[in-house]
Amino acid sequence: MSASLSRPPRVGVWLIGARGSVATTVVAGCAAVTAGLHPPTGLVTESPAFADSCLPALSCLVFGGHDTSDCPLPKRAEQLAAGGVLPAGLPAAVAAELAAADREIRPGGPVRGDNRDEEQLIASFTADLRDFVRRCGLARAVVVNVASTEPAANGSTLPPSSLYAAAALRAGCPYVNFTPSTGLHHPALAPVAESSGLPYAGRDGKTGQTLLRSALGPMFAQRALTVRAWSGTNLLGGGDGAALADPAAAEAKNAGKGRVLADTLGATPEGQVHIDDVPVLGDWKTAWDHVAFDGFLGTRMILQTIWQGCDSALAAPLVLDLARLAARAHEAGLSGPLTELAFFFKDPVGDAPSALAEQHAEMQMFARRLKGGPGVRGERGTRDEGKTPEARHESEPGSGEETR
């Protein structure tokens, strides 16, 4: 067998918001780990549980995406290194990989003055995706939304996140929504997603405060301690801080945080989550929680937590995990919501548990299922063998006007 035939297939990762902080950290981090410059800290898919799950290697990932920004990835990486998000010297060490990914980024939209209607935008985004897969000789591509949070959708108009999601379906690509934006949750897209034969996952990556809540909530319930109130505050800057200064966007973000507590505690405690934009913090965020609870004989007690972290460094490994898992699920012929990946999300699609330990157990079961090779069949998902990714979706609802 020739060297070209024995080479492992390459998999595309198409990032929505491809020049943002998270996307830049994803590309730079993947290159750094692949080159052995840094260990794969934070990458769940590099743990022993996934050793035999046939996931695409990090070295086989090819990056591209859509963005409305024109700041080149190498320059964005330099900015992140100056802010302490990326290690000093890393942008120079992986400059070639950053430049290669930047060449695959296409203009997003809609932007001010863009007169294209929804169908034209979806068609344009779809063409970009198909061209990426064809030119780069990819076995498949996964679309991951890491753009800034948008307000919740109202009415029949598709918000930008849903336009990109519709294009993913039409191009035959698995879709992951790492944001709280609407994406596939729009009523016009839900039936198309279900009938597309594609796996999809989301939404809103669980990187900090909600990760902690999904671990602590079950603790109170399991110890029969009554939570009276649970309040929180988030301080963050950067693009996310600016986006979440919009009350409608903040409301969309907080919905998942509150749902975790309601599901794990069995009731919704008093208290709210406040999000404050502090531009000077840049990509760093602080999350503070104040939990008031009752113990034996009604003794009143308090738990307070402080979570301080770098948003991009927390999110980037999860994006790589999800891209690899969604690509493997697609290769295995699975379709529909990947509820087994609820571990990664605040507001997971499908019927999934909210407690972190239960989510982790389901994810490990999923890892074992993926060891079965192409055409995996299990309790969840379906099988669609003998077709290329393009052929599989030529006759599906996502291939024409009905995607709108």
Side-chain angles (χ1 to χ4, degrees), residues 48-75:
F50 291 94
D52 300 317
S53 296
C54 306
L55 303 181
L58 294 173
S59 60
C60 294
L61 301 183
V62 180
F63 296 96
H66 281 117
D67 206 317
T68 56
S69 169
D70 58 4
C71 178
L73 277 183
K75 182 176 180 60

Side-chain angles (χ1 to χ4, degrees), residues 98 135 271 317:
L98 289 166
R135 284 185 306 97

